[in-house]
Amino acid sequence: RYFKAISHLEKHFDFINMRVAGKDNVIELAGKKFNRGITFEAPRLPETTGAWLHVVSGPSATAVARGALELAARFLSGGHRVLIVDGGPRLQLHDRFDREARWGVIECLTGEMPVLGLVQDVGRLGLYLLAHGVPARRTHWPQLGRLLDEARPHFGRVVLALDFAARIADILTYVHR
């Protein structure tokens, strides 16, 4: 049977529970009874999802860097090897780790260099960086899927940090092609 309106829910359920990130948010439908209900669960914590690729963007380079680092820390605490991919020319994540700005994402996307040849250890066990690389007029985003496929066997999680001015939807269309 289908419910014709929200008001019909109380005929079949006493409560609806929305569990978000382990916290229950109960909506009581029937005043005194509390026997029959349904629970919807939405795991919001990134480490509880099965996702391998996590995208971070924000209003500024500082916000994106902070988000990428905080997300990586969550995965590191779970024992994952984490690769942070600097997908934005203005992010300059290599500076945050005192690493080289040398070749990186740009060179991998053009096929000039392999991903593992350009990944830099950042000094924390299990955390690695693929710097943005040499500035280019055009970024070859259609090759992003190949780049990620190359990295996948070697890292438990990847954090793709995108420039706050990037057209994220356009970039992500190339991930699963």
Side-chain angles (χ1 to χ4, degrees):
R1 291 188 287 185
Y2 294 100
F3 300 108
K4 303 256 186 235
I6 292 175
S7 60
H8 291 129
L9 287 174
E10 67 185 23
K11 294 177 186 173
H12 302 281
F13 298 107
D14 301 329
F15 66 93
I16 296 175
N17 181 26
M18 303 295 284
R19 184 172 296 140
V20 179
K23 182 181 177 198
D24 289 331
N25 301 283
V26 178
I27 301 167
E28 295 181 26
L29 300 173
K32 297 182 181 179
K33 299 188 302 180
F34 211 68
N35 298 326
R36 286 184 309 182
I38 187 167
T39 297
F40 297 96
E41 185 165 3
R44 296 291 176 125
L45 299 175
E47 61 271 19
T48 62
T49 69
W52 175 77
L53 175 65
H54 302 268
V55 179
V56 176
S57 186
S60 67
T62 301
V64 173
R66 184 175 339 150
L69 293 172
E70 288 176 7
L71 194 54
R74 295 179 85 106
F75 300 140
L76 289 168
S77 70
H80 293 283
R81 284 173 49 113
V82 180
L83 174 63
I84 297 177
V85 176
D86 185 344
R90 292 181 279 259
L91 296 178
Q92 299 184 2
L93 295 179
H94 62 277
D95 284 342
R96 306 214 181 252
F97 296 108
D98 196 27
R99 294 297 181 248
E100 298 291 323
R102 60 184 170 99
W103 309 301
V105 174
I106 298 298
E107 290 73 23
C108 291
L109 291 176
T110 59
E112 295 174 25
M113 301 289 284
V115 172
L116 289 182
L118 302 180
V119 167
Q120 301 178 61
D121 182 322
V122 299
R124 175 146 185 343
L125 185 62
L127 184 59
Y128 301 87
L129 173 69
L130 181 59
H132 187 70
V134 178
R137 286 188 167 165
R138 182 174 169 260
T139 304
H140 298 273
W141 289 118
Q143 295 301 313
L144 181 61
R146 181 189 48 77
L147 183 154
L148 295 172
D149 287 344
E150 216 178 304
R152 187 165 195 138
H154 307 284
F155 300 97
R157 304 285 179 125
V158 168
V159 177
L160 175 60
L162 293 175
D163 198 297
F164 46 93
R167 294 185 339 210
I168 295 171
D170 292 344
I171 293 168
L172 294 180
T173 58
Y174 300 112
V175 172
H176 291 292
R177 283 196 168 185

